[in-house]
Structures are given as C-alpha cells and as structure tokens.
Amino acid sequence: MTTEIGKLAPDFALKANTGETVKLSDFEGKNVVLYFYPKDNTPGCTTEACDFRDNHQSFADLDAVILGVSPDSETSHQKFQEKYDLPFQLLVDEDHKVAESYGVWKLKKNFGKEYMGIERSTFIIDKQGKLQKEFRKVKVKGHVEEALEYIKENLS
C-alpha cells in the first residue's frame, strides 16, 4: 500500500508509549497530523517534538491530533515523552512496516555511510481518514507552523 492524496491513508495498529495499541482508524472524525521522525532524543527530532508540543493546543483547537512515529522502543518513547512533557502519543514502529507503507523508510547517507532509516515526513489526514497533504524531506525549522497553517486553511 502506498499513499495518494485524496485516498484513504494506510491504516495501522502500533503500540504507543502508553502501552496501548493505537490505530489510525481510532481517530475517524478528527484531523490527524502523522509525523515520522528518525530517533528519540536527537537534536532535530527533539526540536520537532517540542515545536509540536508548543503548538499542541492550536492543533487541538482545529480538531487535530498529533501522532509521532519512529522505530524506537516503547521504553525509549516513554522516556522521550516524559523528558520533554510531550502531550501526544509516540508510536513504536520497530519493524518499520508503517514507515514503509507511507514511503518514508529510505536509504540514507551520513558521514559517508549508507543505512536505512526514516526520512522525516508529515502527513495530514482529514476527518474521513483521507490523506490531504504530504510534507516529505522535512526541514524542522518552521515545519510545525506550516502544518498548522495547512490545517487552518484547508480542514477547519
């Protein structure tokens, strides 16, 4: 399954930092900001998570929930969530199946080494579960505001 604007977003069931299993379909009737990030407690990922945290109420006011996804473990997510007081769920995608279904599990290069990992990306899903917007190869600075603005202008 792949993503296509205007089509149903790929559903999934993933364990959250809270220990419960979360399905995308659980959020029907709400807008969903589904963001994929490479790793807990790294500089860019921490900045992005804190930006989502700081704008959490603005998203909630637009009837939008935020879900973060990375290959980190439930324990890692719990520590990350507690350390930065993140008011949204972090989902465990250790086998990267959901990342693959959204096309964000990519070959990456860093300091001359190649490896597979998450390409920072955000997907905006409407109240009917349809994909409305993809932000791929996200640069952290200003991204959360851009996502918020998209929802304000198109889904509120």
Side-chain angles (χ1 to χ4, degrees):
M1 191 166 194
T2 57
T3 61
E4 190 178 331
I5 300 294
K7 301 281 188 194
L8 285 177
D11 199 5
F12 55 78
L14 291 174
K15 193 163 235 189
N17 59 292
T18 55
E20 64 187 299
T21 297
V22 172
K23 291 189 248 175
L24 179 61
S25 54
D26 293 342
F27 299 99
E28 200 168 310
K30 295 221 177 254
N31 296 311
V32 176
V33 178
L34 182 67
Y35 84 96
F36 290 85
Y37 65 98
K39 190 156 181 50
D40 291 340
N41 286 303
T42 56
C45 297
T46 299
T47 299
E48 184 178 29
C50 290
D51 285 352
F52 274 118
R53 176 199 64 204
D54 296 347
N55 287 280
H56 183 260
Q57 189 57 53
S58 298
F59 282 100
D61 291 346
L62 297 171
D63 213 15
V65 296
I66 300 164
L67 298 172
V69 182
S70 86
D72 293 301
S73 69
E74 183 182 344
T75 303
S76 176
H77 280 344
Q78 286 169 348
K79 289 177 182 171
F80 188 48
Q81 191 267 337
E82 288 167 11
K83 183 175 182 179
Y84 294 102
D85 197 25
L86 304 177
F88 49 85
Q89 292 179 307
L90 301 176
L91 307 180
V92 178
D93 189 24
E94 286 179 308
D95 64 2
H96 45 81
K97 293 277 188 258
V98 175
E100 288 177 32
S101 72
Y102 279 81
V104 300
W105 187 251
K106 303 271 189 176
L107 182 66
K108 298 171 80 174
K109 290 181 184 178
N110 197 13
F111 299 113
K113 291 188 175 168
E114 289 188 342
Y115 61 96
M116 295 300 289
I118 297 276
E119 178 182 82
R120 190 182 310 279
S121 305
T122 300
F123 298 85
I124 308 293
I125 301 161
D126 70 15
K127 294 177 180 183
Q128 292 74 45
K130 291 183 181 168
L131 181 63
Q132 293 300 322
K133 178 76 175 165
E134 296 180 342
F135 296 94
R136 294 187 179 267
K137 297 183 181 175
V138 165
K139 301 286 180 246
V140 172
K141 188 171 172 56
H143 170 63
V144 170
E145 293 79 7
E146 186 182 23
L148 185 61
E149 197 57 36
Y150 178 84
I151 294 173
K152 263 187 206 164
E153 291 176 5
N154 297 283
L155 300 179
S156 59

